[in-house]
Amino acid sequence: MILRLTLKNLAAHKLRLGLTALAVVLGTAFVAGTLIFSGTTDKAFDELFAEGTQTVDVTVQGTRAFTGGTDDLAAKPVPASVLDQVRRVDGVAEARGQITGFAAIVGRDGKIVGGNGPPQMGIGWPSSLSDYTLVSGRGPAAPDEVALDSVTAQKTGYTTGDQVKAVAKGPAEPYEVVGVFKVGAKGQTGGVTYAAFEPSTAQRLLAEPGAFSGIVAKAADGVSPAELAGRVNAVVPAGFEAITAQQAADDAAGDVKELLGFLSTFLLTFGVISIFVGSFIIFNTFSMLVAQRTRDLALLRAVGASRRQVTLAVMGEALGVGLLGSIAGLLAGAGLAVGLRGLFSAVGADLPTTGLVIAPSTVVWTLTVGVAVTLVAAFFPARRAAKTPPVAALRDDVAPPVRSLRARAVAGGLLGAAGGALLATGLTGDGGDPLALVGAGALLVFLAVAMLSPLFARPVTRLLGAPLVRLFGTTARLGSGNAQRNPRRTSATAAALMIGMALIATVSVLAASMTASIDKSLDGSLGADFQVSAGGGFGPPGSFDPSVAADLAAVPGVKSATPMTYAQVRLGDQQVFAAVGDPAELAGPFGLEMESGTLAAGADEILVDAGTAAAGGWTTGSAVRAQYADGAFATIRIAGVYADNPMAGPYLLGEATHAAHYPDSRVSTVLVVKAPAADAAAVRRGLESSLAAYPNLTLQDRSDIKEQARASVGQLLTMITALLVLSIVIAILGIINTLALSVIERTREIGLLRAVGMGRRQLRRMIRYESVLISVFGALLGIAVGIGFGWAVQRALAGQGIDVLAVPAGRLGAYLAAAALVGVLAAVWPARRAARMDVLRAIATQ
């Protein structure tokens, strides 16, 4: 009987429950899409990197103490003599030197192909043991020849015989395209561009004459890769290691997966937010359905149905909504995963292709999350339905019992206090996982605000409605009264919008604070007039030959041109990035202010800022156990402590130490200071002329640097806001659902209003005013909570450079206006439906 009743109720309320299911679809689609995208890209990169293991078995490379970041630049070149040693190892069928490094092709527009997207790779053309296959022409054999990968050739339109320019660590040089090759069996590059040179040219451009980036070897029949790696390790010199090709592929794929894993977690967070917002809609919908069916439920009780059976009937409806919504969400998630891949392609990151991977765990998680959230949200309305007394079936004016708001006030206060404590603990980093603590704290705060909002829903909506009443008279007064009539319903409807708006406001406050802090930092700590840098895209930071600094220093009007780069070093048990350069020369461009010690950093010496010194308990002269990227351990001395400087960062490593442990001598930035009397525009023109041969380098003045920082923050804000708009869309569905159910609930009332003379247009306006008040109420709540969250996060990050609190009043005001528009749009369909009611039938409704 219960199953039959559940199915009939689902069929009887298809439209109302369909809108609720749509909220489930949108939330679970994000969860499913993220999981499908992650599984698909993981498989694609596994296949891409595994292709290299088909041609080689062992790779010899410089020993690496760290992974990722600038570690590739710190790896030792492998001398040609090691290749001879490897070839003599028993079990090696074939071995050759491998040369890789940065090299970019200059497009027909004068810009490097790929821009700041995936890495631009230069390689030495291999004669064997590679997964590169010529598709046209031949391999490069002369210093002025180059071969391109097929994807790059297709993008640029270059073919064999064309003249192109390529840039590595020096100025761009002309080459003739003599061949086009395919990477791997499928010809997929993952967005990476490849330029192949003949071996000696590749050594000059990418490594060192007479040295290789690595050595690859193929095992003889009967020798396993692991066994061969062990034999090779026994003969290679200290500072080098032999690993299996599979391990090298796993390491390379691991770096990519780590980046994509962060992206998946980032996207999954928005899926969880959407599900959370949708739970308020589900709760509200079932609460209203239970309220409207009080008499029906009482009849069930009167004819013998138990409380348990009534609860199961309502929960059965929730199960049906959750299950259908989750299945649809899974299908929509597959489309979202395809869309994400398209988005990557649009920004130049062409991910390797493979069929969509919908793992069983993805199906289970999607269905579990969707169904569980729906059942939990519907549980309390179901329990309320079960408490309907049978005698209520005999009454015409029956209404479900309403609890006092006092219990909500106490529970909401306790939740708010607990949420605030978790937020404070997470933001200050005093214990546990900060991200988990902040997330749990935010969840509790949102629940607390949702529970407490009925206490002030009536006075706030009355206050918001007062101007509308003065301007639009009776219809506005009726709309305002409807919003105030049931503060629980109003607050529950507004809660969904409140969450989305609170998160958007938090991000807006944080973005404005970051921008203001960056401006302050640049004004206070950047003494350079210009900066020259190379973009690194998604790979290691870009770098170029230090001779560029000498060329820039020779430009008329330039006082100094100071090169610098970055390197990884482990201090104690912490792996950190340190700026590298001559501290005495960087003092001016960085505006360094020494608090103690000296700017002269010798071998195994480092300078740190005051905040880092205090946190580590260090002073000038302190000794710290350190490890460099080449694996060497040393006791490093604190040569000096300087005032906190956002441009210099917390660590400054001297050139002598860097040269001893980091073979690559290239730099990533040159800071240029003009002479006091020099004309800035004339100096800039001179610098641009000097850099004309380096299309991979970017020249910026102070205003450009500020604008770039603002643009980066703005892009992040736009991306996060766009993702959070999904929660706003779900909130709009909630308002539409509530108004539609409210119209049904007030059918007789609407009929009476029409009977006494209210026109269709006036009725539509009344519902529109009610919708606008609910929307603005939710937006106000969200903005207030968001400002509080933004302030808390900014204070927690004050020690990391975000030390200026900025509240973007104009942007938040625009969001409030947008919320009013949301209310207008959400009321369109319910208002039209109400206006089309037959007056006589509406009056006769019980």
Side-chain angles (χ1 to χ4, degrees), residues 736-821:
I736 293 173
N737 222 7
T738 298
L739 291 176
L741 291 172
S742 180
V743 165
I744 296 170
E745 185 178 66
R746 302 199 304 255
T747 298
R748 191 164 188 267
E749 176 186 317
I750 290 171
L752 289 172
L753 287 172
R754 292 292 315 283
V756 297
M758 176 176 275
R760 293 178 186 270
R761 180 176 296 179
Q762 289 175 311
L763 183 60
R764 288 196 296 266
R765 286 178 180 173
M766 179 189 74
I767 294 174
R768 192 180 304 131
Y769 295 143
E770 178 183 358
S771 178
V772 168
L773 289 175
I774 292 173
S775 297
V776 173
F777 173 59
L780 277 176
L781 277 180
I783 290 173
V785 172
I787 291 174
F789 280 174
W791 169 82
V793 174
Q794 183 272 324
R795 294 311 306 157
L797 297 176
Q800 301 180 31
I802 306 178
D803 54 353
V804 178
L805 175 65
V807 179
R811 182 184 293 273
L812 296 180
Y815 291 153
L816 192 60
L821 179 61

Side-chain angles (χ1 to χ4, degrees), residues 654-725:
E655 291 180 318
T657 303
H658 183 262
H661 298 282
Y662 300 79
D664 197 293
S665 61
R666 288 176 289 180
V667 298
S668 60
T669 305
V670 177
L671 301 173
V672 180
V673 178
K674 71 178 185 66
D679 177 66
V683 172
R684 178 162 192 146
R685 287 194 296 271
L687 295 173
E688 289 173 344
S689 177
S690 179
L691 294 172
Y694 298 87
N696 60 317
L697 302 187
T698 302
L699 173 66
Q700 296 172 302
D701 60 20
R702 293 188 190 183
S703 61
D704 293 332
I705 297 171
K706 283 186 178 181
E707 186 57 38
Q708 182 185 40
R710 293 192 194 102
S712 298
V713 174
Q715 289 171 359
L716 179 64
L717 173 62
T718 300
M719 180 179 64
I720 294 178
T721 302
L723 292 171
L724 287 172
V725 163

Side-chain angles (χ1 to χ4, degrees), residues 307-329:
R307 288 188 174 188
R308 180 173 177 273
Q309 288 175 312
V310 173
T311 300
L312 288 175
V314 177
M315 293 296 285
E317 293 178 40
L319 176 62
V321 170
L323 191 59
L324 291 175
S326 299
I327 293 172

Side-chain angles (χ1 to χ4, degrees), residues 359-411:
S361 59
T362 298
V363 178
V364 171
W365 272 110
T366 303
L367 296 181
T368 300
V369 169
V371 171
V373 168
T374 306
L375 291 177
V376 170
F379 176 70
F380 291 103
R383 286 193 61 189
R384 195 178 308 132
K387 293 179 180 179
T388 304
V391 72
L394 305 176
R395 299 174 55 189
D396 292 333
D397 59 344
V398 62
V402 178
R403 287 187 177 184
S404 167
L405 292 176
R406 186 176 303 169
R408 290 177 69 104
V410 173

Side-chain angles (χ1 to χ4, degrees), residues 146-218:
V146 68
L148 307 180
D149 71 89
S150 55
V151 176
T152 301
Q154 183 179 13
K155 283 183 178 180
T156 59
Y158 288 138
T159 60
T160 54
D162 286 344
Q163 294 294 314
V164 302
K165 284 189 174 182
V167 58
K169 58 184 177 182
E173 300 179 22
Y175 298 90
E176 178 186 355
V177 179
V178 296
V180 175
F181 59 92
K182 181 175 67 173
V183 179
K186 297 181 179 179
Q188 298 183 120
T189 65
V192 178
T193 64
Y194 289 86
F197 307 92
E198 62 91 20
S200 61
T201 302
Q203 287 177 323
R204 175 178 64 84
L205 293 174
L206 312 175
E208 295 179 2
F212 304 107
S213 305
I215 294 171
V216 292
K218 183 72 176 175

